[in-house]
Amino acid sequence: KAGVTQTPRYLIKTRGQQVTLSCSPISGHRSVSWYQQTPGQGLQFLFEYFSETQRNKGNFPGRFSGRQFSNSRSEMNVSTLELGDSALYLCASSLAATQETQYFGPGTRLLVL
Amino acid sequence: QQQVKQSPQSLIVQKGGISIINCAYENTAFDYFPWYQQFPGKGPALLIAIRPDVSEKKEGRFTISFNKSAKQFSLHIMDSQPGDSATYFCAASKYSGYALNFGKGTSLLVTP
C-alpha cells in the first residue's frame, strides 16, 4: 500500500503570496491532519479533517485554512505569507474515527523569502 | 504553551547502551501516548504507543514506561544501534481528539 504523499516537496514563496499544499492519504484512510514543524516550535497541530469536515483546529491564525475532498485528499492553504511561515508542513492520515495511529507523509518544505 | 515537555534535547549513547528519553504532561484528559522516530528528510514514523491503563509496553528493543500519578512517560531503547540515530518525539492526545501534542524532540546519536 502506498504511504501518505505530499506535493510539492519543496516550495519557495515571497512574503504576501499565498500557497496551497496537497496531501493524499493512505488508501482507505478518512482522517487527515496537518502539522507545522519548525526548529523553534517543534511539531504543532494545525487542523484535522474527517469525511470532509474539520473536526479539530489548532492555535493558528485564520490565514491557515484547509479542506478535504470526497476522496479524502486534503489541501491546506496559507494566505498572505509571512517569513515565520517557513517550515516543514506535514500531513498525517489515519484509518477511521477510532484509529489513533497517524501515518505521516514526508512533508512539504516551504521557504518564505 | 507546550503541553508535553521532553528531555533531554540531545543524547549521545554508545553502541549497545541504553537510551532513555523522558516526557511529562499536564493535561489529565490525555489518554494516548505515542513515540515517533524521525530521520532527516522524512516524516515522523510511529515507533510505539501506550494507553494509561498499563504501566509498561515493550516492542523489541523499545519500551515505554508510564507513570500516571506522576504524569510522566519515558522511552527506553535497549542495545542502542547506530541505525537508531534519529530525532525522537513523544506525544499525547485525547482519544477522540486526534490532535497530537508533541514534545520538542530529542536528537539521539549512537556512536559505533
Side-chain angles (χ1 to χ4, degrees):
Chain A
K1 218 181 226 186
V4 177
T5 57
Q6 292 186 244
T7 56
R9 291 293 312 278
Y10 304 93
L11 209 46
I12 300 176
K13 292 285 187 178
T14 56
R15 277 182 301 173
Q17 287 187 308
Q18 72 148 16
V19 67
T20 300
L21 312 181
S22 180
C23 171
S24 292
I26 292 171
S27 177
H29 284 196
R30 294 168 62 193
S31 171
V32 173
S33 298
W34 289 88
Y35 294 83
Q36 181 196 65
Q37 185 174 22
T38 59
Q41 298 301 316
L43 280 148
Q44 293 186 288
F45 172 74
L46 279 155
F47 26 66
E48 184 249 347
Y49 288 87
F50 178 78
S51 292
E52 302 179 65
T53 301
Q54 186 182 89
R55 287 199 303 189
N56 291 286
K57 190 176 190 307
N59 214 13
F60 279 81
R63 300 185 297 106
F64 292 81
S65 62
R67 59 178 176 167
Q68 186 181 33
F69 302 96
S70 58
N71 62 358
S72 294
R73 192 177 69 84
S74 177
E75 287 181 349
M76 69 162 279
N77 185 77
V78 188
S79 62
T80 320
L81 283 165
E82 300 176 1
L83 296 179
D85 297 334
S86 295
L88 180 68
Y89 290 88
L90 292 157
C91 166
S93 75
S94 61
L95 188 59
T98 56
Q99 173 61 268
E100 305 104 331
T101 301
Q102 295 186 29
Y103 298 88
F104 283 82
T108 294
R109 171 107 22 219
L110 171 65
L111 177 62
V112 182
L113 300 175
Chain B
Q1 182 189 356
Q2 196 77 20
Q3 296 206 52
V4 179
K5 290 186 168 60
Q6 183 172 346
S7 63
Q9 192 174 354
S10 62
L11 185 59
I12 300 175
V13 172
Q14 280 197 327
K15 180 182 175 181
I18 303 173
S19 304
I20 302 174
I21 304 170
N22 300 298
C23 285
Y25 65 98
E26 286 299 322
N27 191 339
T28 55
F30 289 151
D31 69 352
Y32 173 66
F33 303 88
W35 284 88
Y36 280 82
Q37 179 189 57
Q38 186 177 29
F39 292 104
K42 305 282 188 183
L46 180 68
L47 205 55
I48 186 172
I50 198 167
R51 303 293 297 276
D53 51 349
V54 297
S55 59
E56 187 174 279
K57 183 174 180 180
K58 185 175 179 180
E59 287 184 4
R61 297 184 294 109
F62 301 93
T63 300
I64 299 179
S65 297
F66 188 84
N67 186 329
K68 189 173 180 178
S69 61
K71 291 185 284 185
Q72 295 175 347
F73 58 111
S74 60
L75 175 70
H76 290 62
I77 306 174
M78 312 300 287
D79 187 26
S80 299
Q81 299 296 312
D84 296 331
S85 297
T87 301
Y88 292 81
F89 294 93
C90 62
S93 75
K94 303 173 192 177
Y95 178 81
S96 61
Y98 296 101
L100 285 168
N101 297 273
F102 283 91
K104 288 261 181 125
T106 296
S107 178
L108 171 65
L109 176 64
V110 181
T111 59

